[in-house]
PDB file of all heavy atoms in Angstrom:
ATOM      1  N   THR A 117     -16.263   3.882 -11.183  1.00  0.00           N
ATOM      2  CA  THR A 117     -17.415   4.181 -12.025  1.00  0.00           C
ATOM      3  C   THR A 117     -17.033   5.314 -12.995  1.00  0.00           C
ATOM      4  O   THR A 117     -16.095   6.091 -12.726  1.00  0.00           O
ATOM      5  CB  THR A 117     -18.627   4.634 -11.195  1.00  0.00           C
ATOM      6  OG1 THR A 117     -18.343   5.920 -10.614  1.00  0.00           O
ATOM      7  CG2 THR A 117     -18.933   3.643 -10.094  1.00  0.00           C
ATOM      8  N   THR A 119     -18.471   8.084 -13.465  1.00  0.00           N
ATOM      9  CA  THR A 119     -18.597   9.365 -12.753  1.00  0.00           C
ATOM     10  C   THR A 119     -17.375   9.628 -11.883  1.00  0.00           C
ATOM     11  O   THR A 119     -16.845  10.744 -11.845  1.00  0.00           O
ATOM     12  CB  THR A 119     -19.865   9.380 -11.879  1.00  0.00           C
ATOM     13  OG1 THR A 119     -21.015   9.264 -12.720  1.00  0.00           O
ATOM     14  CG2 THR A 119     -19.961  10.676 -11.083  1.00  0.00           C
ATOM     15  N   THR A 120     -16.908   8.598 -11.176  1.00  0.00           N
ATOM     16  CA  THR A 120     -15.725   8.744 -10.321  1.00  0.00           C
ATOM     17  C   THR A 120     -14.506   9.114 -11.155  1.00  0.00           C
ATOM     18  O   THR A 120     -13.743  10.019 -10.792  1.00  0.00           O
ATOM     19  CB  THR A 120     -15.450   7.443  -9.543  1.00  0.00           C
ATOM     20  OG1 THR A 120     -16.560   7.161  -8.692  1.00  0.00           O
ATOM     21  CG2 THR A 120     -14.192   7.575  -8.694  1.00  0.00           C
ATOM     22  N   GLN A 185     -15.881  13.486   2.302  1.00  0.00           N
ATOM     23  CA  GLN A 185     -17.320  13.308   2.155  1.00  0.00           C
ATOM     24  C   GLN A 185     -17.992  14.612   1.737  1.00  0.00           C
ATOM     25  O   GLN A 185     -19.076  14.605   1.148  1.00  0.00           O
ATOM     26  CB  GLN A 185     -17.929  12.795   3.470  1.00  0.00           C
ATOM     27  CG  GLN A 185     -17.406  11.438   3.908  1.00  0.00           C
ATOM     28  CD  GLN A 185     -17.548  10.367   2.836  1.00  0.00           C
ATOM     29  OE1 GLN A 185     -18.612  10.209   2.240  1.00  0.00           O
ATOM     30  NE2 GLN A 185     -16.470   9.632   2.587  1.00  0.00           N
ATOM     31  N   PHE A 340     -13.370   1.110  -4.012  1.00  0.00           N
ATOM     32  CA  PHE A 340     -14.582   1.243  -3.201  1.00  0.00           C
ATOM     33  C   PHE A 340     -14.611   2.595  -2.489  1.00  0.00           C
ATOM     34  O   PHE A 340     -15.637   3.295  -2.493  1.00  0.00           O
ATOM     35  CB  PHE A 340     -14.629   0.103  -2.188  1.00  0.00           C
ATOM     36  CG  PHE A 340     -15.833   0.131  -1.280  1.00  0.00           C
ATOM     37  CD1 PHE A 340     -17.042  -0.384  -1.704  1.00  0.00           C
ATOM     38  CD2 PHE A 340     -15.735   0.650   0.003  1.00  0.00           C
ATOM     39  CE1 PHE A 340     -18.161  -0.366  -0.860  1.00  0.00           C
ATOM     40  CE2 PHE A 340     -16.833   0.669   0.850  1.00  0.00           C
ATOM     41  CZ  PHE A 340     -18.053   0.162   0.412  1.00  0.00           C
ATOM     42  N   VAL A 341     -13.498   2.974  -1.884  1.00  0.00           N
ATOM     43  CA  VAL A 341     -13.409   4.247  -1.161  1.00  0.00           C
ATOM     44  C   VAL A 341     -13.622   5.421  -2.112  1.00  0.00           C
ATOM     45  O   VAL A 341     -14.403   6.345  -1.825  1.00  0.00           O
ATOM     46  CB  VAL A 341     -12.046   4.376  -0.449  1.00  0.00           C
ATOM     47  CG1 VAL A 341     -11.822   5.809   0.036  1.00  0.00           C
ATOM     48  CG2 VAL A 341     -11.958   3.410   0.721  1.00  0.00           C
ATOM     49  N   LEU A 342     -12.956   5.412  -3.252  1.00  0.00           N
ATOM     50  CA  LEU A 342     -13.064   6.516  -4.206  1.00  0.00           C
ATOM     51  C   LEU A 342     -14.462   6.604  -4.812  1.00  0.00           C
ATOM     52  O   LEU A 342     -15.000   7.704  -5.004  1.00  0.00           O
ATOM     53  CB  LEU A 342     -12.008   6.372  -5.295  1.00  0.00           C
ATOM     54  CG  LEU A 342     -10.554   6.520  -4.818  1.00  0.00           C
ATOM     55  CD1 LEU A 342      -9.581   6.224  -5.955  1.00  0.00           C
ATOM     56  CD2 LEU A 342     -10.299   7.917  -4.252  1.00  0.00           C
ATOM     57  N   ASN A 343     -15.053   5.466  -5.115  1.00  0.00           N
ATOM     58  CA  ASN A 343     -16.419   5.471  -5.646  1.00  0.00           C
ATOM     59  C   ASN A 343     -17.411   6.026  -4.631  1.00  0.00           C
ATOM     60  O   ASN A 343     -18.337   6.774  -4.984  1.00  0.00           O
ATOM     61  CB  ASN A 343     -16.853   4.054  -6.045  1.00  0.00           C
ATOM     62  CG  ASN A 343     -16.258   3.611  -7.370  1.00  0.00           C
ATOM     63  OD1 ASN A 343     -15.981   4.432  -8.242  1.00  0.00           O
ATOM     64  ND2 ASN A 343     -16.056   2.321  -7.529  1.00  0.00           N
ATOM     65  N   ASN A 344     -17.225   5.698  -3.365  1.00  0.00           N
ATOM     66  CA  ASN A 344     -18.134   6.193  -2.330  1.00  0.00           C
ATOM     67  C   ASN A 344     -17.959   7.685  -2.070  1.00  0.00           C
ATOM     68  O   ASN A 344     -18.863   8.329  -1.537  1.00  0.00           O
ATOM     69  CB  ASN A 344     -17.949   5.410  -1.034  1.00  0.00           C
ATOM     70  CG  ASN A 344     -18.633   4.060  -1.079  1.00  0.00           C
ATOM     71  OD1 ASN A 344     -19.552   3.844  -1.878  1.00  0.00           O
ATOM     72  ND2 ASN A 344     -18.200   3.138  -0.248  1.00  0.00           N
ATOM     73  N   ILE A 345     -16.816   8.216  -2.432  1.00  0.00           N
ATOM     74  CA  ILE A 345     -16.593   9.658  -2.298  1.00  0.00           C
ATOM     75  C   ILE A 345     -17.180  10.409  -3.489  1.00  0.00           C
ATOM     76  O   ILE A 345     -17.935  11.376  -3.318  1.00  0.00           O
ATOM     77  CB  ILE A 345     -15.084   9.966  -2.182  1.00  0.00           C
ATOM     78  CG1 ILE A 345     -14.532   9.475  -0.842  1.00  0.00           C
ATOM     79  CG2 ILE A 345     -14.827  11.477  -2.345  1.00  0.00           C
ATOM     80  CD1 ILE A 345     -13.018   9.572  -0.727  1.00  0.00           C
ATOM     81  N   PHE A 346     -16.862   9.961  -4.685  1.00  0.00           N
ATOM     82  CA  PHE A 346     -17.208  10.714  -5.887  1.00  0.00           C
ATOM     83  C   PHE A 346     -18.485  10.259  -6.600  1.00  0.00           C
ATOM     84  O   PHE A 346     -19.022  10.989  -7.422  1.00  0.00           O
ATOM     85  CB  PHE A 346     -16.034  10.662  -6.875  1.00  0.00           C
ATOM     86  CG  PHE A 346     -14.807  11.355  -6.375  1.00  0.00           C
ATOM     87  CD1 PHE A 346     -13.703  10.634  -5.950  1.00  0.00           C
ATOM     88  CD2 PHE A 346     -14.751  12.741  -6.299  1.00  0.00           C
ATOM     89  CE1 PHE A 346     -12.561  11.280  -5.473  1.00  0.00           C
ATOM     90  CE2 PHE A 346     -13.620  13.400  -5.824  1.00  0.00           C
ATOM     91  CZ  PHE A 346     -12.527  12.661  -5.411  1.00  0.00           C
ATOM     92  N   ASP A 347     -18.952   9.072  -6.284  1.00  0.00           N
ATOM     93  CA  ASP A 347     -20.175   8.568  -6.906  1.00  0.00           C
ATOM     94  C   ASP A 347     -20.907   7.663  -5.908  1.00  0.00           C
ATOM     95  O   ASP A 347     -21.110   6.473  -6.157  1.00  0.00           O
ATOM     96  CB  ASP A 347     -19.833   7.784  -8.170  1.00  0.00           C
ATOM     97  CG  ASP A 347     -21.049   7.477  -9.035  1.00  0.00           C
ATOM     98  OD1 ASP A 347     -22.132   8.052  -8.754  1.00  0.00           O
ATOM     99  OD2 ASP A 347     -20.923   6.682  -9.978  1.00  0.00           O
ATOM    100  N   PRO A 348     -21.299   8.244  -4.756  1.00  0.00           N
ATOM    101  CA  PRO A 348     -21.833   7.428  -3.648  1.00  0.00           C
ATOM    102  C   PRO A 348     -23.055   6.602  -3.997  1.00  0.00           C
ATOM    103  O   PRO A 348     -23.203   5.480  -3.493  1.00  0.00           O
ATOM    104  CB  PRO A 348     -22.146   8.476  -2.565  1.00  0.00           C
ATOM    105  CG  PRO A 348     -22.275   9.769  -3.298  1.00  0.00           C
ATOM    106  CD  PRO A 348     -21.289   9.676  -4.414  1.00  0.00           C
ATOM    107  N   ALA A 349     -23.936   7.103  -4.841  1.00  0.00           N
ATOM    108  CA  ALA A 349     -25.156   6.362  -5.177  1.00  0.00           C
ATOM    109  C   ALA A 349     -24.831   5.026  -5.833  1.00  0.00           C
ATOM    110  O   ALA A 349     -25.395   3.991  -5.502  1.00  0.00           O
ATOM    111  CB  ALA A 349     -26.042   7.195  -6.093  1.00  0.00           C
ATOM    112  N   LYS A 350     -23.874   5.041  -6.774  1.00  0.00           N
ATOM    113  CA  LYS A 350     -23.486   3.818  -7.479  1.00  0.00           C
ATOM    114  C   LYS A 350     -22.371   3.081  -6.746  1.00  0.00           C
ATOM    115  O   LYS A 350     -22.292   1.869  -6.800  1.00  0.00           O
ATOM    116  CB  LYS A 350     -23.043   4.138  -8.908  1.00  0.00           C
ATOM    117  CG  LYS A 350     -24.178   4.605  -9.801  1.00  0.00           C
ATOM    118  CD  LYS A 350     -23.681   4.806 -11.230  1.00  0.00           C
ATOM    119  CE  LYS A 350     -24.827   5.258 -12.135  1.00  0.00           C
ATOM    120  NZ  LYS A 350     -24.358   5.484 -13.529  1.00  0.00           N
ATOM    121  N   GLY A 351     -21.522   3.825  -6.069  1.00  0.00           N
ATOM    122  CA  GLY A 351     -20.376   3.222  -5.400  1.00  0.00           C
ATOM    123  C   GLY A 351     -20.780   2.196  -4.364  1.00  0.00           C
ATOM    124  O   GLY A 351     -20.165   1.133  -4.254  1.00  0.00           O
ATOM    125  N   LYS A 352     -21.822   2.457  -3.605  1.00  0.00           N
ATOM    126  CA  LYS A 352     -22.250   1.552  -2.545  1.00  0.00           C
ATOM    127  C   LYS A 352     -22.886   0.282  -3.097  1.00  0.00           C
ATOM    128  O   LYS A 352     -23.058  -0.688  -2.377  1.00  0.00           O
ATOM    129  CB  LYS A 352     -23.217   2.267  -1.605  1.00  0.00           C
ATOM    130  CG  LYS A 352     -22.547   3.371  -0.782  1.00  0.00           C
ATOM    131  CD  LYS A 352     -23.526   4.068   0.103  1.00  0.00           C
ATOM    132  CE  LYS A 352     -22.814   5.176   0.914  1.00  0.00           C
ATOM    133  NZ  LYS A 352     -23.762   5.910   1.782  1.00  0.00           N
ATOM    134  N   LYS A 353     -23.265   0.315  -4.365  1.00  0.00           N
ATOM    135  CA  LYS A 353     -23.902  -0.863  -4.960  1.00  0.00           C
ATOM    136  C   LYS A 353     -22.876  -1.820  -5.533  1.00  0.00           C
ATOM    137  O   LYS A 353     -23.201  -2.947  -5.872  1.00  0.00           O
ATOM    138  CB  LYS A 353     -24.853  -0.424  -6.078  1.00  0.00           C
ATOM    139  CG  LYS A 353     -26.042   0.393  -5.588  1.00  0.00           C
ATOM    140  CD  LYS A 353     -26.926   0.793  -6.755  1.00  0.00           C
ATOM    141  CE  LYS A 353     -28.106   1.640  -6.284  1.00  0.00           C
ATOM    142  NZ  LYS A 353     -28.984   2.047  -7.417  1.00  0.00           N
ATOM    143  N   ARG A 354     -21.623  -1.360  -5.668  1.00  0.00           N
ATOM    144  CA  ARG A 354     -20.605  -2.182  -6.324  1.00  0.00           C
ATOM    145  C   ARG A 354     -19.965  -3.157  -5.354  1.00  0.00           C
ATOM    146  O   ARG A 354     -19.878  -2.892  -4.176  1.00  0.00           O
ATOM    147  CB  ARG A 354     -19.532  -1.297  -6.956  1.00  0.00           C
ATOM    148  CG  ARG A 354     -20.085  -0.448  -8.101  1.00  0.00           C
ATOM    149  CD  ARG A 354     -19.029   0.481  -8.642  1.00  0.00           C
ATOM    150  NE  ARG A 354     -17.981  -0.233  -9.345  1.00  0.00           N
ATOM    151  CZ  ARG A 354     -18.040  -0.597 -10.606  1.00  0.00           C
ATOM    152  NH1 ARG A 354     -19.099  -0.330 -11.328  1.00  0.00           N
ATOM    153  NH2 ARG A 354     -17.053  -1.247 -11.201  1.00  0.00           N
TER     154      ARG A 354
END
Side-chain angles (χ1 to χ4, degrees):
T117 68
T119 297
T120 298
Q185 298 306 312
F340 180 82
V341 167
L342 294 174
N343 282 331
N344 282 339
I345 290 172
F346 295 107
D347 192 11
K350 291 184 179 179
K352 292 179 180 179
K353 295 180 181 180
R354 294 176 69 85

